[in-house]
């Protein structure tokens, strides 16, 4: 049974760095074809793809946020960490992590965490 | 402004069929597989369709997907009030080297 859960601060001040952790179970990020991604959704707005970490440690980032995003893994702890630097109120959103299994590039995330709402405000 | 374009809203009566379009380009839909997600307020998205036409286990065959050129379509037949939700298309963009989502479509079952 695959589960994912996001954790992190609910409130972050502008210009600070946001660090979010995705803790998962039911799969290994070392298994071929497995990837974990981050997606966010501002209140009342659409989903936005942020980053993806592959089993082989390959990484992909949204070109619109690339300079501010970093995705890493802690295989032993079954965690994937996303950091977003220099946050601004427009970064206020629910942040989701999700699981994907596939060797071809894609966005077919089959398991999602419940999401964590992050508000950027002074 | 999303890379993939969806109508903001669609509506139909219970029992009817509705289609939701997703328009992209040669760098995304035309050359990569499309997925569709269903999202109810306050909950995480749920995978409805992957690889353009395939349904994950547990998704009823009332939901269908198709793709032609730079566009994809989600079809929902036998509409139920419980289908009222937001629907998103998504795919990989080979030029951006990243995933992209559509702007979402709100389905109302009248």
């Amino acid at each position: 049974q695959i589960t994912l859960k996001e954790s992190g601060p609910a409130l972050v001040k502008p210009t600070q760095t946001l660090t979010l952790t995705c803790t998962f179970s039911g799969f290994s990020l070392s298994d071929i074809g497995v990837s974990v991604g981050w997606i966010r959704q501002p209140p009342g707005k659409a989903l936005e793809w942020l980053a993806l970490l592959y089993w082989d440690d390959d990484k992909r980032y949204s070109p619109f946020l690339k300079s501010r995003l970093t995705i890493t893994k802690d295989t032993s702890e079954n965690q994937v960490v996303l950091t977003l630097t220099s946050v601004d109120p427009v970064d206020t959103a629910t942040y989701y992590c999700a699981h994907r299994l596939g060797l071809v590039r894609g966005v077919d995330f089959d398991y999602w965490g419940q999401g964590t709402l992050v508000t950027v405000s002074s | 402004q999303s890379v993939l374009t969806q109508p903001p809203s669609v509506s139909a009566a219970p029992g009817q069929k509705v289609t939701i379009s997703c328009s992209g380009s040669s760098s995304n839909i035309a050359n990569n597989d499309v997925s569709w997600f269903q999202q109810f307020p306050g909950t995480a998205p749920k995978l409805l369709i992957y690889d353009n036409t395939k349904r994950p286990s547990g998704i009823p065959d009332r939901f269908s997907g198709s793709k032609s050129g730079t566009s994809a379509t989600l079809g929902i037949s036998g509409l139920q009030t419980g289908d009222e939700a937001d629907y998103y298309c998504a795919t990989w963009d080979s030029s951006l080297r990243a995933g992209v989502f559509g702007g979402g479509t709100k389905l109302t079952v009248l």
Side-chain angles (χ1 to χ4, degrees), chain A residues 39 41 45-49 52 54 60-64 96 104-110 112-114, chain B residues 2-3 32 35 37 39 43-45 47 50-51 88 90-92 96-104:
Chain A
I39 304 97
Q41 184 173 38
K45 296 189 177 181
L47 299 169
E48 179 182 11
W49 189 97
L52 189 67
Y54 293 92
R60 291 288 182 265
Y61 296 100
S62 165
F64 310 111
Y96 297 98
V104 178
R105 305 298 187 194
V107 194
D108 47 333
F109 296 109
D110 52 359
W112 292 64
Q114 63 189 26
Chain B
S2 301
V3 173
N32 295 285
S35 299
F37 298 88
Q39 186 182 34
T43 69
L47 182 64
Y50 68 100
D51 289 357
Y88 293 90
T91 188
W92 191 259
L96 297 176
R97 300 179 70 194
V100 290
F101 281 92

Side-chain angles (χ1 to χ4, degrees), chain A residues 24 28-30 55 57 72-80:
Chain A
F24 58 85
S28 171
L29 200 39
S30 299
W55 79 96
D57 210 35
T72 58
K73 67 179 178 180
D74 183 336
T75 306
S76 62
E77 296 293 332
N78 281 355
Q79 293 180 329
V80 173

Side-chain angles (χ1 to χ4, degrees), chain A residues 17-38:
Chain A
T17 293
L18 170 64
T19 299
L20 296 170
T21 300
C22 175
T23 303
F24 58 85
S25 64
F27 67 93
S28 171
L29 200 39
S30 299
D31 290 345
I32 293 174
V34 172
S35 58
V36 172
W38 284 92

Side-chain angles (χ1 to χ4, degrees), chain B residues 54-75:
Chain B
K54 299 175 182 176
R55 285 176 286 106
S57 174
I59 302 300
D61 59 7
R62 300 189 298 108
F63 296 90
S64 62
S66 64
K67 188 180 88 168
S68 179
T70 60
S71 294
T73 302
L74 173 70

Side-chain angles (χ1 to χ4, degrees), chain B residues 10-97:
Chain B
V10 295
S11 62
Q16 297 299 304
K17 179 176 181 177
V18 71
T19 60
I20 298 173
S21 61
C22 177
S23 178
S25 68
S26 58
S27 67
N28 43 66
I29 291 179
N31 290 288
N32 295 285
D33 291 326
V34 175
S35 299
W36 289 90
F37 298 88
Q38 176 190 59
Q39 186 182 34
F40 296 105
T43 69
K46 176 183 180 180
L47 182 64
L48 275 184
I49 299 288
Y50 68 100
D51 289 357
N52 308 312
T53 62
K54 299 175 182 176
R55 285 176 286 106
S57 174
I59 302 300
D61 59 7
R62 300 189 298 108
F63 296 90
S64 62
S66 64
K67 188 180 88 168
S68 179
T70 60
S71 294
T73 302
L74 173 70
I76 310 173
S77 62
L79 276 172
Q80 304 172 0
T81 56
D83 295 331
E84 284 201 340
D86 293 324
Y87 292 84
Y88 293 90
C89 60
T91 188
W92 191 259
D93 191 294
S94 302
S95 294
L96 297 176
R97 300 179 70 194

